[in-house]
Amino acid sequence: MGVDEFRILLVDDEVEFLETLVKRLKKREMNVSAVKSGEEALIWLDHDPVDVVVLDVRMPGMDGIQTLREIKRRYPLIEVIMLTGHASFEVAVEGMELGAFDYLMKPINIDDLIYKAQDANKKKAIQREKVRYIEELKSEE
Amino acid sequence: MDKSKETRTADYPAFFKKRFFTVIIFSITPMILVSGIILYQFKMSYHEKVHAHLAELVLKHKQNVDSFLAEKLGDIRVLARTFGFEELSDESFLRDRLETLQRGYGPVFVDLGVINSQGLQVAYAGPFKLGNVLYSTASWFENAMKNEYVISDVFLGLRGLPHFIVTVRDNWKGESWVIRATIDFVAFNNLVGNIRVGETGFAFILNREGELQTKPLFDVIPDKGPYLEFMKTKLKEKDDVQIVERRDEFGNKNIYVAAFLKGGDWLLVYQQRASDAFSDFRRALKIAFAIIILGGIAIVNMAYVFSTRMAGHVARMEKEKKMMDEQMIETGKLASVGELAAGIAHEINNPVAIMVEEAGWIEDLLEEEDFKEGENLDEFQRALKQIRTQGKRCKDITFKLLSFARKTDSRIQEVDINDMLEELVAISAQRAKYSNVTINSNFQNDLPFIRVSQSELQQVFLNLINNSLDAMEKTGGTIDIASKVEGDFIVVGVADTGPGIPKANLNRIFDPFFTTKQVGKGTGLGLSICYGIMKKLGGEIEVRSTMDVGTTFRVFIPLTEE
């Protein structure tokens, strides 16, 4: 699997923002999908696992932090980039503590987002390698 | 300190007065009431005691005098009855009798005389040459012939000395005769004269005519004073004593005690200055007054000190309350602005994000072949760039708003102020160079470490330095940064040589959203953030500015208690 060929799931309640971002990312040949809430994101992930989730902090229903916690519980290997409309230090810290890869503040620069997503995917790949290696060691025993 | 105390007291004169007089009234009134009542009771009982004592004294002496007189009379009666006229007419026998009497009773009897019915003294024994004297015209003789026993008033008589006599009448061969004895005036006088109490208490005897019967120790004018009134009084009991207190002709208050003697013929008078008689009471009264006055002074002093302190305390409380109110308003203002800011930031950021995203999408689309040849491609791209720039500006504003509202990294650390300031100077050096500004540092060495949030404090000083740089962007100048310890604070001064702040703006520079910068250049939040941070740290930030000379900000950071 190439570095650029990874799947991104965008989670944001602002449909207009989501649609445009999806179009722009697709134009850059990213494999990207989008859902409108934390709940939908979890359902999506059950059927169709992705590599990186870009998650808005403030959403109706399950908010970013809750969703992050749930994602990390179910799929520890998936990397999450938090997207925030307000640069609350606490939220950022909390997110990082819960295992988020990084956070970005709106309005985002699309290139920044892509770089961060690529980095997150790299990290995920390394993690997966490590897990595989450990499993191999275990199976050899 | 005194001055501030005065002004504080002066600020609350009504309060002070009220306290002062309340304390005085509530302290002094019971003190005076209680001491007054006690003194009055004491006075009454003491007077009673003194009166009773004096009455007792006078009564005892009255009885003494009465029994003295009765005794002497008895002696002479025995003499007359035992021996009769014949024997007593013999002068040598009479002399023997006088000697016997004097041997028995001391020199009380001065002389003896036997007088016949014609008033001729037929026999005489004594120191005076009174043999064969004719007493027929003497008033005492007439009296003596009428009554069986007579004790005369004091008179001068033939011998020219004050004396009084005791006479006993008897019959011999149908003729009355009289035996007469002179009582030693000195001996009798001593009976009364020895009554001495205190410094001014003395006694004397008056007869019914108000003539002195004994020699008083001090001058007495019998016509004045209450003596004659005593005479007029009819007493029910023989042993009754009269007591009167009144002023004499010199204005001195005297206490008079009187009792009748000799079946009402004589009056034994005891008199004493009231001040003397009640001297113990006077002393007690003086002590009581001294205590009351001292107590009063103490109360007044205490009331003054107490009221001053109270007034000062109230004034201080009031001031503190006022300050607290102001602070509350200030904090409230900041807090509500903070909430508002957070809300705005979030609400604005999302639509701006969409706009920027759409612009980005258009830009993406313009990359495609169809549009490359477009006539207005450059204009499109310029417009889109503008949208992105303005979007970024919105982001900056909301970011600042959020940094104002959010809790920054408020972890407490040990901070070396000088290190921190040096870091900030280094950060600002590049910008300063462009603006032709020199930054001088003048730090006090060995500043104590303080425990604060480093990032908050950095924000404060960065804001101040940036403001100074902004102010001197075109003109250039110097910024002096100095640190030193003053009392319980580390004081950091940031002084620039910029154009200064107009007086009208000085009060408002810490208000949120107050800015004099061009629209889009400043948010008006920098200094209010500084203000909020310093207040939170328990410190202070103050500003002094002179137009065309410069502006100095002084930041007071409280020293950490060990």
Side-chain angles (χ1 to χ4, degrees):
Chain A
M1 191 188 279
V3 173
D4 285 341
E5 295 168 35
F6 60 95
R7 285 156 299 163
I8 300 175
L9 179 65
L10 298 179
V11 188
D12 197 324
D13 58 313
E14 301 256 358
V15 182
E16 296 88 345
F17 177 76
L18 213 53
E19 280 174 353
T20 315
L21 194 58
V22 168
K23 278 190 267 182
R24 293 189 75 193
L25 288 172
K26 283 207 166 135
K27 193 168 168 52
R28 285 166 175 75
E29 292 170 348
M30 308 290 290
N31 185 351
V32 59
S33 347
V35 291
K36 285 186 282 179
S37 71
E39 290 87 346
E40 283 179 44
L42 291 171
I43 294 165
W44 183 281
L45 289 177
D46 281 343
H47 301 294
D48 201 352
V50 298
D51 300 294
V52 175
V53 175
V54 177
L55 188 58
D56 191 26
V57 168
R58 224 193 238 194
M59 288 182 297
M62 268 178 103
D63 71 11
I65 294 294
Q66 285 171 317
T67 312
L68 169 67
R69 197 178 280 131
E70 198 53 34
I71 291 171
K72 277 287 164 185
R73 195 179 64 78
R74 296 190 194 177
Y75 316 102
L77 282 177
I78 293 180
E79 291 300 333
V80 179
I81 294 168
M82 307 295 287
L83 211 53
T84 165
H86 66 118
S88 164
F89 185 82
E90 277 75 26
V91 173
V93 167
E94 203 181 343
M96 301 303 268
E97 278 170 359
L98 287 171
F101 178 75
D102 204 343
Y103 72 97
L104 279 170
M105 194 179 159
K106 284 185 190 173
I108 52 169
N109 183 319
I110 191 139
D111 294 328
D112 285 348
L113 177 63
I114 291 168
Y115 295 147
K116 286 256 157 74
Q118 283 169 348
D119 286 349
N121 182 52
K122 268 179 208 158
K123 190 185 167 198
K124 196 206 163 192
I126 292 164
Q127 290 285 64
R128 199 161 40 200
E129 282 304 310
K130 274 188 194 166
V131 172
R132 191 177 297 159
Y133 181 62
I134 290 166
E135 277 169 359
E136 271 171 23
L137 283 178
K138 275 184 185 167
S139 62
E140 276 171 21
E141 273 172 9
Chain B
M1 168 134 189
D2 277 343
K3 204 185 161 197
S4 70
K5 204 173 179 181
E6 265 173 37
T7 50
R8 254 193 258 140
T9 313
D11 285 345
Y12 292 83
F15 178 84
F16 173 78
K17 255 188 221 165
K18 208 172 147 194
R19 279 294 119 163
F20 186 61
F21 288 112
T22 309
V23 169
I24 285 182
I25 286 165
F26 278 93
S27 313
I28 284 185
T29 310
M31 185 180 79
I32 286 178
L33 268 178
V34 167
S35 15
I37 289 167
I38 288 174
L39 275 178
Y40 180 74
Q41 293 289 351
F42 179 56
K43 182 189 168 175
M44 295 312 282
S45 65
Y46 192 77
H47 270 234
E48 265 170 40
K49 195 193 121 200
V50 167
H51 283 187
H53 172 70
L54 291 177
E56 184 77 12
L57 183 86
V58 167
L59 198 63
K60 206 182 105 209
H61 281 86
K62 163 202 148 70
Q63 282 160 358
N64 267 1
V65 172
D66 269 341
S67 67
F68 175 85
L69 292 173
E71 198 183 302
K72 299 308 157 237
L73 187 61
D75 290 343
I76 302 306
R77 270 176 67 192
V78 168
L79 204 64
R81 298 283 181 273
T82 318
F83 301 107
F85 182 69
E86 220 166 0
E87 271 180 291
L88 292 171
S89 313
D90 178 1
E91 242 175 53
S92 64
F93 181 79
L94 198 63
R95 220 169 287 136
D96 284 347
R97 296 273 62 83
L98 182 62
E99 268 173 41
T100 315
L101 281 173
Q102 284 178 339
R103 244 194 330 271
Y105 303 107
V108 174
F109 293 103
V110 177
D111 59 8
L112 287 174
V114 176
I115 298 122
N116 68 11
S117 56
Q118 278 76 47
L120 183 71
Q121 184 157 269
V122 294
Y124 172 78
F128 303 101
K129 294 208 165 72
L130 295 170
N132 294 321
V133 172
L134 196 63
Y135 283 118
S136 55
T137 52
S139 61
W140 66 263
F141 181 67
E142 285 169 29
N143 220 354
M145 290 305 281
K146 268 182 245 160
N147 299 299
E148 202 179 347
Y149 326 109
V150 170
I151 300 170
S152 77
D153 288 346
V154 174
F155 63 105
L156 290 175
L158 292 172
R159 67 193 72 177
L161 287 170
H163 64 288
F164 74 95
I165 54 173
V166 178
T167 63
V168 175
R169 189 193 61 182
D170 210 346
N171 289 320
W172 184 72
K173 288 180 184 167
E175 289 274 319
S176 292
W177 64 282
V178 170
I179 180 161
R180 175 195 67 91
T182 306
I183 306 290
D184 180 33
F185 185 69
V186 178
F188 178 69
N189 218 17
N190 283 346
L191 270 185
V192 178
N194 282 342
I195 307 176
R196 294 277 291 116
V197 176
E199 284 173 10
T200 59
F202 66 99
F204 54 90
I205 294 173
L206 290 170
N207 69 5
R208 283 235 164 244
E209 282 71 45
E211 289 159 352
L212 284 165
Q213 299 302 300
T214 61
K215 190 176 174 297
L217 196 72
F218 301 106
D219 283 342
V220 165
I221 304 160
D223 294 348
K224 304 219 168 130
Y227 314 114
L228 296 177
E229 287 166 35
F230 286 135
M231 300 290 184
K232 286 174 205 151
T233 317
K234 290 229 162 66
L235 295 175
K236 285 176 200 156
E237 296 282 331
K238 193 172 71 125
D239 283 348
D240 263 2
V241 174
Q242 308 176 59
I243 299 178
V244 163
E245 275 182 47
R246 96 169 36 158
R247 298 196 177 278
D248 64 11
E249 63 272 24
F250 307 112
N252 297 317
K253 199 171 182 192
N254 283 335
I255 171 164
Y256 299 94
V257 188
F260 283 114
L261 287 173
K262 222 178 106 195
D265 284 348
W266 289 357
L267 186 71
L268 174 63
V269 178
Y270 170 85
Q271 85 176 57
Q272 190 178 11
R273 288 268 172 84
S275 60
D276 187 28
F278 301 126
S279 63
D280 284 350
F281 174 71
R282 292 278 160 130
R283 204 173 309 126
L285 204 64
K286 269 181 205 160
I287 291 169
F289 269 112
I291 288 170
I292 288 172
I293 285 166
L294 284 179
I297 290 169
I299 286 168
V300 170
N301 273 335
M302 196 205 70
Y304 180 80
V305 170
F306 174 73
S307 311
T308 310
R309 225 176 263 170
M310 277 294 270
H313 188 66
V314 168
R316 210 159 42 238
M317 294 275 279
E318 203 96 326
K319 210 168 128 195
E320 266 166 29
K321 192 177 164 282
K322 214 182 261 174
M323 267 168 64
M324 206 109 98
D325 285 351
E326 273 168 25
Q327 226 164 15
M328 287 281 278
I329 292 167
E330 205 62 38
T331 339
K333 203 151 81 180
L334 286 178
S336 56
V337 166
E339 276 167 35
L340 189 69
I344 289 172
H346 191 76
E347 294 309 317
I348 295 272
N349 256 7
N350 279 332
V352 169
I354 295 166
M355 278 153 57
V356 171
E357 225 43 65
E358 296 293 350
W361 178 232
I362 295 170
E363 247 177 333
D364 289 350
L365 294 179
L366 284 178
E367 299 285 317
E368 286 175 18
E369 295 295 318
D370 306 357
F371 298 99
K372 286 253 163 144
E373 316 300 322
E375 230 177 285
N376 294 321
L377 183 67
D378 287 347
E379 270 306 301
F380 276 124
Q381 273 168 344
R382 191 205 55 78
L384 289 168
K385 199 181 160 208
Q386 185 66 277
I387 291 173
R388 221 183 14 240
T389 311
Q390 296 306 320
K392 182 147 187 313
R393 191 173 138 198
C394 284
K395 186 177 164 182
D396 286 346
I397 293 171
T398 52
F399 192 81
K400 272 220 173 128
L401 272 172
L402 284 165
S403 78
F404 171 67
R406 77 184 173 188
K407 298 178 193 97
T408 42
D409 181 5
S410 51
R411 279 171 301 172
I412 303 294
Q413 292 162 279
E414 294 259 311
V415 176
D416 182 336
I417 291 285
N418 288 347
D419 281 357
M420 195 194 80
L421 290 172
E422 257 162 40
E423 237 171 72
L424 293 176
V425 170
I427 290 170
S428 311
Q430 197 63 23
R431 219 194 126 194
K433 215 163 89 183
Y434 285 125
S435 307
N436 199 18
V437 171
T438 324
I439 300 182
N440 302 320
S441 344
N442 178 19
F443 300 151
Q444 179 185 323
N445 290 326
D446 313 324
L447 281 184
F449 280 81
I450 44 171
R451 294 184 55 76
V452 288
S453 155
Q454 170 138 5
S455 68
E456 284 179 345
L457 219 49
Q458 268 174 345
Q459 210 179 342
V460 171
F461 291 115
L462 203 57
N463 256 314
L464 294 180
I465 293 170
N466 280 336
N467 279 350
S468 291
L469 287 173
D470 288 345
M472 299 186 289
E473 205 164 15
K474 286 170 191 147
T475 56
T478 54
I479 299 176
D480 289 304
I481 302 176
S483 69
K484 62 179 167 184
V485 175
E486 264 184 41
D488 292 336
F489 294 92
I490 290 178
V491 182
V492 179
V494 178
D496 67 38
T497 56
I501 302 166
K503 222 169 187 174
N505 292 345
L506 265 184
N507 296 334
R508 302 181 54 201
I509 57 167
F510 295 117
D511 287 351
F513 299 116
F514 177 78
T515 182
T516 55
K517 289 176 187 166
Q518 276 181 313
V519 176
K521 285 281 172 74
T523 56
L525 288 170
L527 282 175
S528 57
I529 291 170
C530 294
Y531 184 86
I533 289 172
M534 288 320 297
K535 282 288 167 190
K536 201 181 85 182
L537 291 181
E540 205 63 63
I541 181 166
E542 60 171 43
V543 61
R544 269 178 226 157
S545 187
T546 313
M547 291 304 285
D548 300 326
V549 175
T551 305
T552 304
F553 279 90
R554 277 155 63 84
V555 177
F556 294 75
I557 309 154
L559 286 175
T560 315
E561 282 168 29
E562 286 300 321

